[in-house]
Amino acid sequence: MLNAILEYSFLQNAILAGLLSSIICGVIGVIIVEKKLLMMGGGIAHTAYGGVGLGYLLGFEPVLGAGAFSVAAALLIGFIRRKNSGYTDVIISLLWSLGMALGIAFVGLMPGYPPDINSYLFGNILSVTKGDIYIILSITAVVLFSIMAFFNDWKAFLFDSRFSEIAGLKTNFLEYFLLVTVALSVVALIRVVGIILAIALLSAPAACAGLLVKSLKNRMVVASVLSFVFCFAGLSVSYYLSIPSGAAIVFVAVLTYFILLALNKIKGSN
Amino acid sequence: MNSAISVKNLSVSYKGVEAINDISLEINKGEFVCIIGPNGGGKTTFLNAVLGFLKPNCGGIEIFGGNIKKARSVMSYVPQTAVIDRSFPITVIETVMTAFLRSGLHPFKLYKKAERERALTVLQKVGLDSLAQRQISELSGGEFQRLLIARALAANPQILLLDEPTANIDAASADKIFEILAEINLSGVTVVTVTHDLSVAVSAASRLVCINRELVYCGSPELTDEIIKAMYGRQINLNGGYTDA
């Protein structure tokens, strides 16, 4: 495997994409898990499929379409949440389905044979290009800087946003920024594990870290490391067993979580 | 001016339903006011309106003669513990120090030594200083409630608003919390708390406000049978439980 990494540039790209997206998964994943925004993350991720389809139909980069759709979905969900109307879950579910439906419809409207867009649904880390790396790198830089620079503000907001609002913290800004960051994270993960599996890579490392360490900062660090381990181990499994890389990464991540959970339960009962 | 909170003809809806209707009352500086009433009677809605989370359909609220948003710097708030995720990874002292993050955003903020000392001082006031480095998930219900009071105190408020601070905790912890609130009140802070605990409310408050969608009673902490019946539709034994009257 190591020889292959040194030999093939597509494997080097895959490792780099895995490393960068692991940082995103570690940081944003912990926030999503702790703030219990997994359903929302799933909604935003699946809405992105509409953008992928539109990109194919109109002939522009599908990842940009995915970004535009997921950011729009994030802003809409944020707006509905702020209104506190009680419809948030319904809206998320509808956006989830609508995004997928639009993607299928847009691809269906294309003349001739439809393109294979499975790699956007299930990811293909081995097909990551230099251009994808730049996109993932930019998103990682934005995510990392914004979380590190305002770490204490984030912590206060995530713990109790109402108290923070009374204290005068800019909770409106933080909420919308968080949702947009989730949307961008999904875009970064599309090439690695795909729209459908992105939520697994956002949640599994963070959930594993939650079983291993206590503080928020340590959870982000451990989740990032675990995420990279899952990507690398998944790639290895994919390489040796000739199964799709996105699926292999998710298998490793989910299996590790259940093993850690079982160990945790055994430890707790002793 | 002696008025801390001035409410005039306040009507507020929550999720499309009018929760409180035409309430007017004045809460003066240094008072200890307990708001009581049945479930769904609008107590929490009233509190949320005072905090500026809900906009009135009509009427208005003034805090120290000004509008709510501007007066938020002098208010602090203790939410119901049920609405807070106690599994969140944060320590006791970090929770208190979130009260120091006021106005705007705080890039690259590191808590100063003075802020840590201030946090420890307020933790000491509520008897939690020895648990400062614990995760909040390790606290009992009563300890967690006291922590939320400590966080509110760290903001150095002139008005402290609490939403059912004794819900889901044992009687001894509830007594301890009202003792702490009485001490806070003695230091000059106006305390306004929503509570279901009628006996504690009667003994601790300087004034009772009874809300059942409308203002049923506002006055000295003596509950007559008529007031209780107007609020709950039946008699209630203040030591707990209903009577067959």
Side-chain angles (χ1 to χ4, degrees):
Chain A
M1 176 81 179
L2 280 173
N3 285 340
I5 292 170
L6 292 171
E7 194 176 337
Y8 300 115
S9 64
F10 74 90
L11 269 180
Q12 291 161 11
N13 284 348
I15 297 289
L16 200 53
L19 180 65
L20 293 171
S21 55
S22 294
I23 296 169
I24 293 174
C25 289
V27 174
I28 297 300
V30 166
I31 291 176
I32 287 180
V33 167
E34 295 305 335
K35 194 73 179 164
K36 299 180 173 45
L37 297 176
L38 286 166
M39 172 79 175
M40 188 181 297
I44 291 170
H46 285 74
T47 308
Y49 192 61
V52 171
L54 190 65
Y56 271 113
L57 181 64
L58 301 181
F60 61 85
E61 173 57 48
V63 167
L64 295 179
F69 268 60
S70 52
V71 168
L75 293 174
L76 180 60
I77 290 169
F79 178 74
I80 303 287
R81 266 168 67 92
R82 300 286 314 176
K83 287 281 172 196
N84 197 21
S85 59
Y87 297 121
T88 310
D89 273 358
V90 175
I91 300 288
I92 290 171
S93 306
L94 292 178
L95 285 177
W96 185 310
S97 311
L98 182 66
M100 297 299 284
L102 282 172
I104 295 164
F106 288 145
V107 170
L109 286 172
M110 288 181 71
Y113 286 110
D116 178 17
I117 55 173
N118 266 359
S119 71
Y120 288 95
L121 283 177
F122 303 105
N124 186 358
I125 197 170
L126 298 173
S127 68
V128 168
T129 62
K130 278 271 185 274
D132 294 329
I133 295 280
Y134 290 133
I135 291 174
I136 300 172
L137 179 65
S138 310
I139 293 171
T140 307
V142 169
V143 167
L144 203 56
F145 177 79
S146 57
I147 300 298
M148 281 172 67
F150 300 99
F151 188 75
N152 282 320
D153 289 328
W154 282 114
K155 190 183 252 188
F157 166 74
L158 294 169
F159 175 58
D160 186 354
S161 58
R162 280 166 67 96
F163 182 86
S164 297
E165 189 176 334
I166 292 167
L169 208 62
K170 291 197 177 299
T171 53
N172 229 340
F173 171 79
L174 288 173
E175 179 151 5
Y176 280 111
F177 190 83
L178 172 63
L179 294 173
V180 170
T181 310
V182 171
L184 293 176
S185 303
V186 166
V187 173
L189 291 175
I190 282 178
R191 301 298 286 155
V192 181
V193 286
I195 288 166
I196 292 175
L197 305 182
I199 207 70
L201 207 50
L202 280 170
S203 59
C208 290
L211 296 171
L212 295 171
V213 286
K214 284 181 178 173
S215 86
L216 187 67
K217 202 179 286 177
N218 289 346
R219 281 187 190 184
M220 287 178 174
V221 173
V222 170
S224 297
V225 172
L226 281 175
S227 183
F228 182 66
V229 171
F230 296 157
C231 283
F232 193 78
L235 262 179
S236 304
V237 170
S238 163
Y239 181 79
Y240 289 113
L241 299 183
S242 295
I243 57 171
S245 55
I249 292 169
V250 171
F251 286 151
V252 173
V254 173
L255 187 65
T256 307
Y257 173 72
F258 281 117
I259 290 170
L260 283 175
L261 186 65
L263 290 174
N264 209 268
K265 294 281 177 203
I266 292 166
K267 194 178 154 193
S269 62
N270 286 337
Chain B
M1 184 197 292
N2 200 33
S3 172
I5 301 171
S6 173
V7 179
K8 286 183 185 135
N9 306 110
L10 182 72
S11 296
V12 183
S13 293
Y14 181 66
K15 292 191 175 175
V17 178
E18 190 166 79
I20 49 177
N21 178 38
D22 196 25
I23 288 180
S24 296
L25 66 97
E26 296 279 334
I27 295 173
N28 296 322
K29 282 181 195 170
E31 274 198 294
F32 190 140
V33 174
C34 283
I35 301 172
I36 57 173
N39 285 333
K43 306 182 296 296
T44 298
T45 300
F46 176 79
L47 207 62
N48 282 331
V50 173
L51 287 162
F53 288 129
L54 294 173
K55 284 184 185 162
N57 298 341
C58 60
I61 300 166
E62 288 186 348
I63 310 291
F64 292 123
N67 76 41
I68 295 169
K69 297 264 172 174
K70 284 184 182 167
R72 273 182 165 176
S73 60
V74 300
M75 290 196 286
S76 202
Y77 166 60
V78 177
Q80 288 185 29
T81 52
V83 302
I84 304 230
D85 176 14
R86 285 174 59 187
S87 67
F88 188 81
I90 188 168
T91 64
V92 168
I93 192 163
E94 283 172 342
T95 303
V96 175
M97 289 192 298
T98 61
F100 303 141
L101 300 170
R102 301 184 80 86
S103 308
L105 294 170
H106 310 82
F108 303 104
K109 163 83 179 171
L110 292 172
Y111 293 112
K112 295 174 190 148
K113 193 181 170 196
E115 288 173 323
R116 288 187 178 275
E117 283 169 1
R118 164 96 181 119
L120 280 171
T121 305
V122 289
L123 281 172
Q124 206 169 13
K125 275 187 189 169
V126 299
L128 291 177
D129 49 320
S130 61
L131 305 179
Q133 301 306 328
R134 293 264 184 97
Q135 289 287 319
I136 58 164
S137 55
E138 297 168 27
L139 300 183
S140 69
E143 287 168 342
F144 185 64
Q145 189 65 70
R146 280 188 276 148
L147 169 62
L148 296 183
I149 293 172
R151 178 184 64 166
L153 277 185
N156 217 8
Q158 293 175 45
I159 300 172
L160 179 61
L161 300 145
L162 305 96
D163 195 357
E164 297 192 29
T166 56
N168 304 316
I169 57 174
D170 61 67
S173 300
D175 283 348
K176 173 81 179 162
I177 280 165
F178 268 88
E179 275 172 30
I180 291 167
L181 293 180
E183 278 175 31
I184 293 167
N185 180 238
L186 276 176
S187 70
V189 177
T190 306
V191 176
V192 179
T193 179
V194 166
T195 184
H196 273 299
D197 197 333
L198 297 187
S199 57
V200 175
V202 166
S203 61
S206 58
R207 193 147 59 109
L208 279 186
V209 171
C210 309
I211 295 176
N212 186 6
R213 297 190 183 273
E214 295 174 345
L215 188 64
V216 175
Y217 174 75
C218 178
S220 62
E222 288 154 14
L223 283 175
T224 62
D225 291 348
E226 287 73 29
I227 296 166
I228 291 174
K229 203 164 184 183
M231 272 196 306
Y232 297 97
R234 63 190 302 181
Q235 293 303 330
I236 292 174
N237 181 346
L238 289 187
N239 294 317
Y242 297 102
T243 64
D244 294 327

